[in-house]
């Protein structure tokens, strides 16, 4: 009779040396499998006399149970070791400093635009946006710019490689003024149905484009257009609205404004608006901030309104200029270079 104790001891040693679950199953087969050493012993029982068979059988079964117990123990050990390994690998080091998520911020020009919008909303102006790719008609013709106006030349205007239904080339709008006509055409019609509504009282901020690039000009820049048309809107209203705008924007109640005669095809008379601060580094200097004027009767007609009855003002102001004055920035190109050291200062 083979030494059962040594078979059990052998099994224990082998199991203890194994660290892979698959190998453990192979080792099990060597003892308890179909041709395993314990199984073979069981098969010899049949040839033994009854009494001896009982004694031997019991001993072999004991050995078998001992091996199964050793196997189960090792399985548990391996499973626990695996779990501990995983926990260690996936452990969070709660003492590590956190990773801050960086907050985005508005670009300084967009901050200015939002500020301008809220000032005008507070005095009842609508805010409208329109296309940056514009037709020749809206950008020039409807605004009374003659065919041979220099602004229409290739040197000043970016043309797009496409044309409108009239066969005229499309272009990148050179100012926000085409929004006067786009907005007015729609709202003049609404006004005819609801005459109690002011026909047109709107600002239109947005991107504009010109072939121009130096410290105070960028090929892409921003303007805000203002337009107020009703039966009795005068230059006095323009002055009141614009001064309120400047004083609110710069938070300076003592800003003064002056109107200098000028020329724009879509206004008559036309004026440049200069402002002067009452304090600070720019104190007392006249600074040009806007074009403006009384909307030309031909343009009012293009709005779909009778110029004998409707009158009002328009203005167009550069948002870069306002931003530069507000923050004391000397070079307009800084806005569009994407240098975070510059931009973060406004966050
Ligand atoms: N569109 C003009 C420009 O870009 C600015 C301007 C002048 C707009 C007078 C107006 C205006 O509405 O009345 O130079």
């Amino acid at each position: 009779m083979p030494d059962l104790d040594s078979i059990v001891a052998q099994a224990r040693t082998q199991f203890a040396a194994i660290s892979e679950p698959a190998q453990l199953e192979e080792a099990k087969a060597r003892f308890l499998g179909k041709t395993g050493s314990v199984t073979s012993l069981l098969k010899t029982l049949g040839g033994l006399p009854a009494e001896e068979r009982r004694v031997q059988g019991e001993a072999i079964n004991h050995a078998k149970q001992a091996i199964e117990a050793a196997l189960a123990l090792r399985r548990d050990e391996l499973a626990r070791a695996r779990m501990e390994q995983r926990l260690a690998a996936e452990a969070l080091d709660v003492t590590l400093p956190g990773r801050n998520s960086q907050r985005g911020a508005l670009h300084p020009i967009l901050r200015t635009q939002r500020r301008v919008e809220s000032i005008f909303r507070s005095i009842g102006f609508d805010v409208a946006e329109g296309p940056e790719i514009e037709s020749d008609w809206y950008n020039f013709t409807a605004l009374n710019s003659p065919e041979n106006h220099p602004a229409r030349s290739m040197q000043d205007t970016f043309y797009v490689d496409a044309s409108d239904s009239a066969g005229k080339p499309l272009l990148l709008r050179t100012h926000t003024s085409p929004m006067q006509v786009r907005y007015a055409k729609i709202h003049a019609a609404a006004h005819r149905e609801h005459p109690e509504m002011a026909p047109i009282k709107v600002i239109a901020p947005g991107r504009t484009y010109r072939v121009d690039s130096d410290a105070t000009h960028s090929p892409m820049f921003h303007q805000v257009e203002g337009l107020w048309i009703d039966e009795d809107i005068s230059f006095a209203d323009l002055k009141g609205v614009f001064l309120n705008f400047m004083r609110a924007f710069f938070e300076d109640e003592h800003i003064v404004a002056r109107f200098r005669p000028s020329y724009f095809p879509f206004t008559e008379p036309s004026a440049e608006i200069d402002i002067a601060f009452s304090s600070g580094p720019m104190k007392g200097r006249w600074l040009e901030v806007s074009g403006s004027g009384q909307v030309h009767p031909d343009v009012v007609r293009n709005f779909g309104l009778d110029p004998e009855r409707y009158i009002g003002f328009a203005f167009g102001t550069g948002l870069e200029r306002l931003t530069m004055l507000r923050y004391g920035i000397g070079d307009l190109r800084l806005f569009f270079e994407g240098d975070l050291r510059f931009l973060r200062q406004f966050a």
Side-chain angles (χ1 to χ4, degrees):
M1 183 65 205
D3 180 359
L4 284 169
D5 286 345
S6 79
I7 292 182
V8 172
Q10 224 181 335
R12 286 196 176 122
T13 332
Q14 285 190 20
F15 294 165
I18 286 169
S19 55
E20 283 301 316
Q23 285 173 15
L24 191 60
E25 298 315 308
E26 281 168 24
K28 169 192 169 186
R30 280 201 289 279
F31 297 96
L32 307 177
K34 261 188 203 148
T35 57
S37 46
V38 178
T39 317
S40 323
L41 284 178
L42 282 171
K43 284 179 187 159
T44 61
L45 289 178
L48 295 178
E51 181 54 18
E52 206 175 322
R53 191 191 314 153
R54 196 185 59 76
V55 176
Q56 283 283 347
E58 212 170 293
I60 295 172
N61 270 330
H62 271 130
K64 192 176 164 185
Q65 281 162 13
I67 292 171
E68 275 167 351
L71 189 70
L73 187 75
R74 190 61 188 151
R75 275 198 195 117
D76 276 2
E77 279 173 1
L78 289 186
R80 202 173 316 120
R82 251 182 128 71
M83 178 62 82
E84 270 163 21
Q85 214 175 16
R86 263 188 63 184
L87 286 177
E90 293 170 10
L92 289 179
D93 181 352
V94 292
T95 66
L96 277 177
R99 235 171 299 163
N100 282 331
S101 58
Q102 299 232 357
R103 286 190 89 196
L106 295 185
H107 187 278
I109 300 294
L110 193 53
R111 281 176 87 93
T112 293
Q113 181 175 322
R114 299 265 169 98
R115 190 173 169 82
V116 172
E117 288 173 6
S118 84
I119 291 168
F120 277 95
R121 280 207 175 93
S122 77
I123 54 170
F125 276 73
D126 194 8
V127 176
E129 281 186 33
E132 291 169 28
I133 294 180
E134 191 50 283
S135 71
D136 180 274
W137 191 80
Y138 279 109
N139 196 80
F140 294 122
T141 313
L143 294 166
N144 237 2
S145 291
E147 281 289 345
N148 56 358
H149 195 282
R152 295 183 119 155
S153 86
M154 299 289 254
Q155 278 72 49
D156 288 328
T157 299
F158 289 107
Y159 284 91
V160 175
D161 212 1
S163 31
D164 61 15
S165 52
K168 294 270 191 186
L170 293 173
L171 47 89
L172 298 184
R173 65 179 180 188
T174 59
H175 49 182
T176 43
S177 303
M179 272 307 288
Q180 290 188 25
V181 192
R182 283 188 178 275
Y183 184 92
K185 273 175 55 159
I186 293 167
H187 287 80
H191 170 68
R192 278 192 290 276
E193 296 207 357
H194 300 279
E196 72 284 1
M197 286 166 56
I200 294 137
K201 194 178 180 188
V202 66
I203 61 162
R207 277 192 274 272
T208 48
Y209 302 84
R210 275 180 219 174
V211 184
D212 225 346
S213 189
D214 60 38
T216 52
H217 297 90
S218 151
M220 188 279 296
F221 56 106
H222 298 72
Q223 290 189 334
V224 57
E225 196 75 13
L227 179 66
W228 190 0
I229 303 284
D230 208 326
E231 294 188 3
D232 52 4
I233 300 301
S234 71
F235 247 77
D237 296 301
L238 169 59
K239 185 168 184 184
V241 164
F242 205 85
L243 254 184
N244 168 75
F245 168 29
M246 289 294 107
R247 289 175 176 173
F249 183 84
F250 291 110
E251 293 169 284
D252 178 351
E253 276 306 306
H254 304 292
I255 285 178
V256 286
R258 73 175 183 193
F259 289 74
R260 251 184 314 115
S262 184
Y263 170 77
F264 297 100
F266 36 91
T267 45
E268 182 57 39
S270 305
E272 302 284 352
I273 308 177
D274 301 336
I275 59 162
F277 294 100
S278 64
S279 59
M282 296 293 205
K283 177 180 169 168
R285 273 176 53 188
W286 286 112
L287 306 159
E288 183 181 319
V289 288
S290 189
S292 68
Q294 180 174 303
V295 179
H296 194 289
D298 287 348
V299 177
V300 173
R301 201 169 289 115
N302 287 334
F303 292 167
L305 293 172
D306 176 4
E308 295 294 332
R309 183 164 168 203
Y310 291 98
I311 191 166
F313 67 76
F315 65 84
T317 307
L319 294 179
E320 281 77 6
R321 178 93 169 127
L322 295 186
T323 314
M324 289 168 82
L325 286 172
R326 180 156 186 241
Y327 296 115
I329 296 161
D331 190 331
L332 178 145
R333 287 170 293 200
L334 283 167
F335 289 128
F336 307 120
E337 281 168 353
D339 186 335
L340 290 177
R341 290 169 305 176
F342 172 74
L343 295 173
R344 281 218 176 93
Q345 299 175 79
F346 309 93

